[in-house]
């Protein structure tokens, strides 16, 4: 599946590449683990040359430099901006001492968008993400501000990131009831080493026709293939920020490496192929500090995992989900379907029912 075989993003008319390009690493500003402007442009050009069209950034990535790099790139190439789906995020306050400089209040949302559009040198964003939940602002205020921006033509679509499922459900219901712009996608942490999204947010997304757009699909590079037991990693800029894998993580890393060896590919490609095989529309965000990183990750489009390989990876990475998720699997099927198979899923019989024929 090449980058120019597009998928529809959620319940919308927006078509995007199966992998998005994340621009968090664009810029060498302090406090990040990014790359030079020259390398950023090489990565961006390679992604576009292969038919990629979905680019994701945020107002605070490399202190705004990420947006500026993208803006300068497209300004120097007339016509290309209108062929890409350009997404950015709001929430983070870039102005120390100003309590209204960030968050999701009306004033803040509008001001942050204007600054992002200035840096990106464009008059609109194709997708605008709430980057985090603002518990100090009524959700209807945020939604109405975003809907007004859609009406004004300054943004086209809306999505949420890093927001609790109950808030997201409330927001979507409010938008639909009031006729405001609904959410079409959720940007979430999701990988073989981070599957808690499967408890609440992923089922919500499937039910509401939202796409999932995973960030850190290789879990800070842990699933890239460079991390091995008893081997020191020397070429990871993020290690200084996040440390290394733990024993539980190495169990998954080892399983991924074994599947990669079977297929003659890389751990990164296997990890990304596993995400692509999840239920619903899942569009992982690729991050890269070097052109080679991008090229290695794109191999994930060429890998198809067998049912047996998917099952092995599912089992070794199975998450412990929060209540009430544990009650909604095999136990729920047993209590509801009593040994029958429904929608292709078998069930067992509640043991006391087998032990006695007496019913009251």
């Amino acid at each position: 599946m090449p980058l120019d075989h597009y998928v529809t993003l959620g319940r919308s008319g927006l078509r995007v590449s199966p992998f998005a390009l994340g621009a968090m690493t664009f810029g060498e500003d302090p406090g990040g683990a990014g790359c030079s402007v020259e390398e950023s442009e090489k990565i961006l050009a390679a992604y576009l040359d292969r038919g990629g069209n979905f680019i994701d950034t945020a107002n605070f990535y490399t202190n705004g430099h990420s947006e500026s790099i993208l803006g300068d790139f497209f300004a120097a190439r007339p016509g290309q901006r209108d062929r890409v789906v350009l997404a950015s995020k709001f929430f983070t306050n870039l102005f120390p001492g100003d309590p209204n400089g960030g968050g999701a209040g009306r004033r803040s949302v509008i001001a942050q968008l204007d600054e992002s559009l200035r840096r990106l040198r464009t008059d609109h964003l194709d997708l605008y993400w709430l980057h985090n939940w603002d518990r100090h602002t009524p959700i209807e205020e945020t939604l109405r501000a975003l809907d007004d921006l859609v009406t004004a033509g300054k943004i086209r679509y809306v999505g949420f990131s890093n927001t609790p499922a109950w808030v997201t459900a409330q927001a979507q219901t409010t938008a639909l009831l009031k006729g405001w712009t609904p959410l079409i996608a959720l940007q979430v942490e999701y990988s073989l080493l981070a599957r808690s999204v499967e408890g609440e947010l992923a089922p919500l997304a499937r039910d509401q026709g939202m796409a999932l757009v995973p960030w850190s699909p290789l879990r800070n590079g842990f699933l890239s293939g460079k991390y091995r037991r008893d081997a020191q990693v020397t070429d990871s800029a993020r290690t200084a920020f996040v440390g290394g894998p733990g024993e539980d993580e190495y169990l998954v890393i080892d399983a991924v490496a074994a599947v990669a060896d079977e297929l003659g590919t890389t751990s990164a490609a296997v990890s990304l192929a596993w995400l692509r095989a999840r239920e619903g529309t899942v569009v992982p965000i690729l991050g890269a500090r070097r052109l080679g990183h991008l090229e290695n990750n794109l191999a994930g489009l060429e890998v198809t995992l067998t049912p047996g390989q998917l099952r092995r990876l599912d089992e070794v990475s199975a998450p412990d989900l929060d209540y009430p998720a544990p009650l909604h699997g095999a136990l729920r099927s047993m209590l509801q379907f009593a040994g029958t198979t429904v929608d292709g899923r078998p069930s067992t019989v509640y043991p006391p029912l087998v032990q006695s024929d007496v019913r009251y």
Side-chain angles (χ1 to χ4, degrees), residues 1-5 17-20 47 50 265 268-270 272-273 276 284 286 295-304:
M1 184 179 190
L3 277 177
D4 61 357
H5 284 199
S17 293
F19 285 164
Y47 175 78
R50 288 163 173 78
T265 187
V270 168
L272 292 165
R276 286 183 49 236
L286 305 183
E295 293 171 341
N296 290 339
N297 290 345
L298 290 178
L301 292 171
E302 303 166 3
V303 171
T304 300

Side-chain angles (χ1 to χ4, degrees), residues 308-347:
Q309 290 167 339
L310 286 169
R311 185 167 55 253
R312 284 158 54 194
L313 294 175
D314 287 348
E315 290 173 355
V316 76
S317 66
D320 291 326
L321 299 175
D322 289 342
Y323 168 87
L327 301 180
H328 295 159
L331 176 63
R332 187 269 309 166
S333 294
M334 176 183 70
L335 297 175
Q336 182 177 5
F337 296 126
T340 61
T341 296
V342 178
D343 293 334
R345 299 194 178 193
S347 65

Side-chain angles (χ1 to χ4, degrees), residues 28-295:
E28 297 176 297
D29 300 78
C35 56
S36 67
V37 173
E38 180 183 16
E39 191 70 10
S40 300
E41 293 189 341
K42 287 181 181 178
I43 293 168
L44 182 54
Y47 175 78
L48 296 173
D49 287 345
R50 288 163 173 78
N53 79 333
F54 189 12
I55 300 165
D56 183 79
T57 186
N59 67 333
F60 84 105
Y61 289 167
T62 53
N63 297 330
H65 197 189
S66 171
E67 288 186 330
S68 293
I69 290 171
L70 291 171
D72 292 345
F73 180 92
F74 287 114
R77 295 161 180 80
Q80 283 206 22
R81 161 64 186 97
D82 290 334
R83 296 185 62 84
V84 301
V85 175
L86 187 57
S88 193
K89 310 179 196 74
F90 67 94
F91 178 82
T92 301
N93 193 331
L94 298 180
F95 305 98
D98 180 2
N100 293 305
R106 172 178 287 272
R107 167 179 165 169
S108 174
V109 172
I110 295 171
Q112 289 176 83
L113 176 62
D114 287 343
E115 286 295 293
S116 286
L117 294 178
R118 177 184 61 80
R119 286 188 290 264
L120 288 162
R121 300 175 69 172
T122 186
D123 62 358
H124 74 280
L125 287 176
D126 299 287
L127 177 58
Y128 204 31
W129 303 98
L130 168 65
H131 208 163
N132 211 324
W133 174 33
D134 181 354
R135 64 179 65 214
H136 303 282
T137 300
I139 196 66
E140 57 269 24
E141 179 179 338
T142 303
L143 292 169
R144 181 56 193 269
L146 291 170
D147 185 66
D148 286 346
L149 291 171
V150 170
T151 300
K154 299 178 76 171
I155 61 176
R156 302 293 193 254
Y157 296 93
V158 174
F160 275 13
S161 179
N162 307 321
T163 301
W166 69 268
V167 177
T168 305
Q170 181 189 47
Q172 185 74 337
T173 301
T174 300
L176 293 173
L177 289 175
K178 292 184 175 293
W180 297 341
T181 303
L183 310 177
I184 64 165
L186 305 180
Q187 189 169 145
V188 295
E189 182 180 21
Y190 196 13
S191 73
L192 276 161
L193 290 175
R195 292 179 57 185
S196 61
V197 67
E198 294 175 6
E200 297 284 350
L201 282 165
L204 168 63
R206 289 194 299 271
D207 179 74
Q208 292 296 308
M210 302 175 194
L212 288 182
V213 181
W215 55 265
S216 197
L218 299 181
R219 184 66 165 175
N220 298 314
F222 292 176
L223 294 166
S224 66
K226 69 175 67 172
Y227 287 86
R228 301 281 179 159
R229 292 178 186 272
D230 304 318
Q232 185 174 3
V233 176
T234 59
D235 64 340
S236 174
R238 292 192 63 80
T239 300
F241 297 90
V242 300
E247 176 59 28
D248 289 346
E249 291 169 314
Y250 270 119
L251 293 176
V252 179
I253 291 169
D254 292 345
V256 171
V259 172
D261 289 342
E262 292 171 9
L263 296 173
T265 187
T266 66
S267 291
V270 168
S271 300
L272 292 165
W274 178 85
L275 273 174
R276 286 183 49 236
R278 306 311 286 170
E279 188 177 356
T281 301
V282 181
V283 182
I285 300 174
L286 305 183
R289 288 188 303 109
R290 303 191 188 107
L291 179 58
H293 294 162
L294 174 67
E295 293 171 341

